Amino acid sequence: FDIYNSLLSEYGVLGFEYGYSMATPFGLTIWEAQFGDFNNCAQVIFDQYLSSAEDKWRRMNGICVFLPHGYEGQGAEHSSARMERFLHLCAQNNMYVVNVTTPGNFFHCIRRQLHSSFRKPLIAFTPKSLLRHPKCVSTIDEFTTGGFKEVLDDSNAKPGKVTEILLCTGKIYYELAERKEQLNAENIAIIRLEQLYPFPKKQVETLFAKYNKVKTYTWVQEEPENMGAWAYMLRTLRKIDLQLISRKASASPATGSTKTHAKQQKFIVDSAFASVPVKAN
């Protein structure tokens, strides 16, 4: 009963913050869930207001919604912020949906909310493990210069050697990058989508042109096949033969077993580098 009341209260709190953001368009209003699944009972607010108010009533709003999201072995209720639901709501440039992987880029993403001459809701997926990840860092210059980058290229890839591209978003990047370094997989480039919607089409096409020897494009996600960004990516990148690596389709967002979680996570990373021959010591 206490959990039910806690979740139901999120409906009211998000509604209040939406109204507060409407009344103070030059302020930064943030609604942050303790876990991403706390948005479940606030779905009416997302459907009726955040995603559609501009189209229905010509009312802009710049509220920021931070939803912890990432498969870290904490079970079904604390792994998924239901990314697929938000991507299904996206159309007509109605809101931003991001899953940012560096502190500097996250700063510029938030700064954009107030620096822009218009207002759009921001849905930000925020993996908790990246708060303490030793490689999830940014230099001071990355905060004080530049702007938000919708796509991040693989800085270690050599285009002439790359025959396979792994596309991903969020914290799975760091697990893929670690395995690539271990295997010295020069034939693979890992491209991060920091912004899922609006889809950064020009930036992605520029990178695809850069890696002109690529034969295989693969979308790698932690979520089950019927969740996450897979369906969105499939209909967005229709011109390429996009493959998938993910958990199997599931009725539940995640397993409740730590051992099963670790096994599934290992399968995803192993599958992403299945084309790389293991070198003998």
Side-chain angles (χ1 to χ4, degrees), residues 37-238:
D37 66 288
F38 276 37
N39 77 71
N40 288 336
C41 287
Q43 195 64 37
V44 172
I45 301 296
F46 291 115
D47 292 349
Q48 297 295 102
Y49 296 95
L50 268 76
S51 66
S52 58
E54 184 178 352
D55 187 46
K56 291 192 294 187
W57 307 309
R58 298 294 184 264
R59 292 292 182 267
M60 288 188 172
N61 193 293
I63 188 173
C64 301
V65 178
F66 293 174
L67 301 174
H69 174 91
Y71 283 60
E72 298 162 355
Q74 298 194 58
E77 309 307 331
H78 297 328
S79 295
S80 176
R82 293 293 191 173
M83 181 184 294
E84 62 280 359
R85 291 178 180 171
F86 292 96
L87 293 175
H88 283 143
L89 293 173
C90 291
Q92 299 175 305
N93 297 318
N94 58 336
M95 57 185 175
Y96 295 113
V97 176
V98 303
N99 194 3
V100 186
T101 59
T102 72
N105 212 28
F106 193 64
F107 167 76
H108 287 294
C109 179
I110 298 172
R111 181 176 179 270
R112 180 178 65 175
Q113 285 298 101
L114 293 181
H115 190 65
S116 298
S117 59
F118 53 85
R119 295 289 176 261
K120 298 283 183 180
L122 170 68
I123 308 298
F125 298 103
T126 56
K128 289 195 172 186
S129 64
L130 296 193
L131 293 172
R132 55 186 181 274
H133 198 289
K135 292 192 175 182
C136 183
V137 295
S138 297
T139 64
I140 293 177
D141 287 343
E142 289 172 324
F143 283 94
T144 58
T145 61
F148 178 63
K149 296 178 181 179
E150 292 92 346
V151 181
L152 292 180
D153 190 11
D154 191 331
S155 60
N156 297 318
K158 299 177 181 178
K161 295 184 178 181
V162 173
T163 59
E164 182 177 351
I165 284 180
L166 300 179
L167 288 159
C168 67
T169 186
K171 82 171 189 67
I172 189 65
Y173 162 75
Y174 288 97
E175 294 167 69
L176 296 174
E178 182 180 6
R179 181 62 61 85
K180 179 185 174 180
E181 184 178 355
Q182 291 172 351
L183 296 176
N184 190 27
E186 294 184 327
N187 66 310
I188 291 178
I190 306 172
I191 295 177
R192 282 173 276 177
L193 287 183
E194 301 283 279
Q195 178 172 292
L196 291 159
Y197 189 84
F199 187 75
K201 181 180 178 181
K202 290 184 178 179
Q203 296 93 316
V204 170
E205 289 180 347
T206 298
L207 288 179
F208 284 176
K210 172 184 175 181
Y211 298 107
N212 55 14
K213 293 185 179 181
V214 169
K215 298 179 180 179
T216 305
Y217 299 88
T218 305
W219 175 254
V220 184
Q221 67 176 35
E222 297 181 296
E223 301 87 354
E225 181 179 351
N226 58 320
M227 302 179 193
W230 167 238
Y232 168 76
M233 293 300 298
L234 195 59
R235 67 175 184 268
T236 301
L237 294 177
R238 298 186 183 189

Side-chain angles (χ1 to χ4, degrees), residues 231-274:
Y232 168 76
M233 293 300 298
L234 195 59
R235 67 175 184 268
T236 301
L237 294 177
R238 298 186 183 189
K239 293 183 179 180
I240 65 172
D241 182 15
L242 190 63
Q243 306 299 311
L244 170 68
I245 293 175
S246 72
R247 284 172 164 80
K248 293 180 180 180
S250 172
S252 172
T255 178
S257 165
T258 302
K259 290 183 178 179
T260 302
H261 161 78
K263 184 178 180 181
Q264 292 174 343
Q265 203 74 3
K266 183 178 184 299
F267 168 79
I268 292 172
V269 178
D270 288 347
S271 298
F273 291 90

